[in-house]
Amino acid sequence: MHSRFSRRSFLKAAGMGPALLPMLEDDLARASCLATGLKRLVVVNWGNGLQQRVSGTGSTFSLPGIMKPLQPHKADLLIPDALFNKTFDDVYNKAGFDNEAHDSPPSLLIAKPMKQNTPAPTASLDYVIGNALRQSAKTPYTVLNLGVLYKNLSCSWQAASVVATPDDDPYHAFDKIFGGLRPGVGMPMMDSVRSVRKSVLDYVQKDITRFSRKLGSEDRLRIDGHLSSIREIENRLAPRLVSDECQFPTLGPKFDVHSSDNYEKVLRAQIDIGVAGLAAGLSQVLTLQATSASSSHYVVSWLGYNATGVIRPGAGGGDVNSHHAIAHINAASKTALDTWFFTQVAYLIDKLKAAKEGTGSVFDNSVTLVTNNMNYGNVHRVKDLPWLLAGTAGGFFKTGRVLPAANASHTQLLIGLCNAFAVSSNGFADPAYGGELPGLRG
């Protein structure tokens, strides 16, 4: 029953047509670049594991070849080596073939047991932290949720049973987040528009709340999630000043954002948009979903591995030069692809460090969580996960080291991230999997 009601059906039940959706969702946000720092969380996710791992422990460690792009930022890294997604593995149905890792992305930021192909029992980490921070900082967006060639299995959940789908079109994302604004430009003509939209939201909230009383508990959870969306839109309507200090990205002429050839251009644009949004104070949380599921739906043509027309046999399939197939059958290409992904992580860190804020940078008050849905691309295990952190979250984490995790539950790292932002993990994390991962703070 969890997919029974959509936002359009809510509006219909409330006597309102879907034509109102663009009015509600396409509002313009005003930025306010900050002189003093707020803590930020950045989540980066891609799939199909890694072919190489770090060596050493503590501060005496070496980055493998695929992570050499991160060498200039080595002192900023904290690598909790070998986490285990127990909350998914414990309840995964292994009666068939053992292929759970490709199905696990929806559970990566969830800290309670989550079965295959079922809705999340809570919001995901990015939205748990984003909701708490937005209530205090009054930012327009809970999470800036951006992606590349998105297909399915988002790692983000806006609320229990309510998936958060990333926006994989940087031109649409730019217009939605910045609304075509430029620093120093006011919008007095928006005041009347905001007033109309606010009255529409008041009407929608009242009618949907009344409608929800007729439903069962599961559907009420979904409605609560959609009401959270409406409240977020309402918050965006509050007037915000645009500072001359804001630096918005330039996307250039439009290109096909759903072509494999432009994968790198899309991801770079999403990084630029996301970092600018964080620096402008539009949100304190950015989620970048760089792949989805097995990623067999695109070929790695931006690195020269063009479509061949030859389909890899077996589950998942895909052209032999798709991301999924390369992870299984072409170690040299997989190494090149892994290296490329860490080049993008290095680019992200460089952008966060370049975003000046007060006497420091946005990076100084940030932590970036880099996740993957499996250990090695041809093994499909959700243990020994190759995750890492970059940044101290304003001094909370001790970086420049490898922290052996010995297949501790990944929920312990998620709890540590909640603690870094002074956000309670009660109701989010199952205490049966343990508390904060020991040693995160040094």
Side-chain angles (χ1 to χ4, degrees):
M1 288 183 62
H2 64 271
S3 61
R4 187 168 140 202
F5 293 101
S6 67
R7 193 176 301 178
R8 281 175 170 78
S9 66
F10 295 158
L11 292 177
K12 183 178 180 181
M16 309 183 74
L20 286 173
L21 282 174
M23 179 185 293
L24 296 179
E25 293 178 342
D26 292 338
D27 72 285
L28 305 178
R30 296 189 180 189
S32 55
C33 294
L34 306 174
T36 57
L38 294 174
K39 283 190 176 184
R40 278 85 159 196
L41 169 67
V42 180
V43 177
V44 181
N45 170 251
W46 73 86
N48 289 310
L50 302 177
Q51 296 301 97
Q52 303 171 10
R53 309 299 283 273
V54 297
S55 59
T57 59
S59 59
T60 305
F61 70 98
S62 298
L63 296 175
I66 61 172
M67 293 187 186
K68 289 304 181 184
L70 296 182
Q71 190 66 37
H73 307 293
K74 184 180 177 183
D76 300 311
L77 304 180
L78 171 58
I79 303 176
D81 193 37
L83 292 168
F84 186 4
N85 186 348
K86 293 181 180 179
T87 60
F88 184 81
D89 191 75
D90 284 352
V91 295
Y92 183 81
N93 182 359
K94 303 179 181 67
F97 60 97
D98 193 6
N99 187 31
E100 71 263 34
H102 280 315
D103 301 318
S104 69
S107 69
L108 296 182
L109 303 180
I110 297 295
K112 287 185 175 181
M114 185 171 175
K115 295 181 181 179
Q116 176 191 14
N117 299 325
T118 59
T122 67
S124 53
L125 175 80
D126 47 350
Y127 279 87
V128 168
I129 291 177
N131 274 313
L133 297 180
R134 183 173 62 85
Q135 289 174 13
S136 58
K138 304 300 181 185
T139 55
Y141 293 91
T142 303
V143 176
L144 302 178
N145 197 338
L146 308 176
V148 185
L149 283 176
Y150 177 76
K151 184 178 182 181
N152 57 10
L153 298 187
S154 172
C155 69
S156 283
W157 295 85
Q158 184 176 315
S161 301
V162 182
V163 69
T165 301
D167 189 338
D168 65 356
D169 181 343
Y171 293 97
H172 179 267
F174 182 94
D175 288 342
K176 180 179 179 181
I177 294 170
F178 300 110
L181 294 180
R182 295 295 182 270
V185 179
M187 295 189 301
M189 66 284 194
M190 284 301 299
D191 291 342
S192 61
V193 176
R194 291 175 187 275
S195 177
V196 171
R197 291 175 176 176
K198 177 68 167 60
S199 65
V200 170
L201 289 171
D202 289 340
Y203 185 88
V204 170
Q205 285 177 313
K206 180 176 66 176
D207 274 41
I208 290 179
T209 300
R210 184 172 61 250
F211 173 56
S212 70
R213 298 192 187 108
K214 305 175 183 178
L215 303 176
S217 59
E218 185 176 343
D219 286 325
R220 271 201 299 271
L221 283 175
R222 292 180 60 78
I223 288 181
D224 287 343
H226 288 294
L227 284 173
S228 295
S229 296
I230 292 172
R231 282 188 287 271
E232 179 169 313
I233 294 170
E234 183 178 33
N235 191 43
R236 289 182 226 157
L237 296 178
R240 300 176 68 86
L241 298 177
V242 180
S243 167
D244 288 327
E245 299 301 316
C246 291
Q247 299 295 318
F248 293 170
T250 301
L251 299 184
K254 284 195 173 183
F255 54 87
D256 184 357
V257 300
H258 296 119
S259 168
S260 298
D261 295 345
N262 294 324
Y263 192 105
E264 180 171 14
K265 292 172 67 175
V266 173
L267 182 54
R268 288 289 179 104
Q270 300 289 49
I271 291 173
D272 292 346
I273 290 169
V275 171
L278 294 178
L282 294 175
S283 179
Q284 290 176 251
V285 182
L286 166 64
T287 299
L288 291 166
Q289 302 193 52
T291 62
S292 54
S294 65
S295 301
S296 59
H297 61 294
Y298 61 84
V299 294
V300 188
S301 57
W302 69 94
L303 291 181
Y305 302 101
N306 296 309
T308 65
V310 178
I311 303 302
R312 174 189 175 268
D319 188 286
V320 294
N321 276 342
S322 69
H323 188 171
H324 175 247
I326 284 174
H328 278 275
I329 63 178
N330 195 327
S333 299
K334 183 61 163 59
T335 297
L337 183 54
D338 289 348
T339 304
W340 178 85
F341 272 115
F342 280 109
T343 300
Q344 312 318 304
V345 175
Y347 176 79
L348 167 65
I349 295 173
D350 285 337
K351 296 291 290 188
L352 291 168
K353 288 183 175 181
K356 300 304 178 185
E357 186 170 78
T359 59
S361 71
V362 170
F363 182 81
D364 296 334
N365 296 298
S366 301
V367 60
T368 297
L369 169 65
V370 178
T371 70
N372 206 297
N373 63 339
M374 64 180 71
N375 50 9
Y376 300 96
N378 57 352
V379 177
H380 292 172
R381 303 291 187 186
V382 294
K383 60 172 58 177
D384 191 24
L385 294 173
W387 291 18
L388 64 83
L389 299 177
T392 67
F396 184 89
F397 298 107
K398 181 181 178 182
T399 58
R401 61 198 176 99
V402 170
L403 176 63
N407 282 306
S409 173
H410 80 296
T411 63
Q412 295 185 266
L413 176 60
L414 303 187
I415 291 173
L417 286 161
C418 285
N419 292 340
F421 289 87
V423 173
S424 172
S425 60
N426 292 336
F428 167 65
D430 188 332
Y433 290 102
E436 179 181 303
L437 185 68
L440 284 177
R441 309 186 197 194

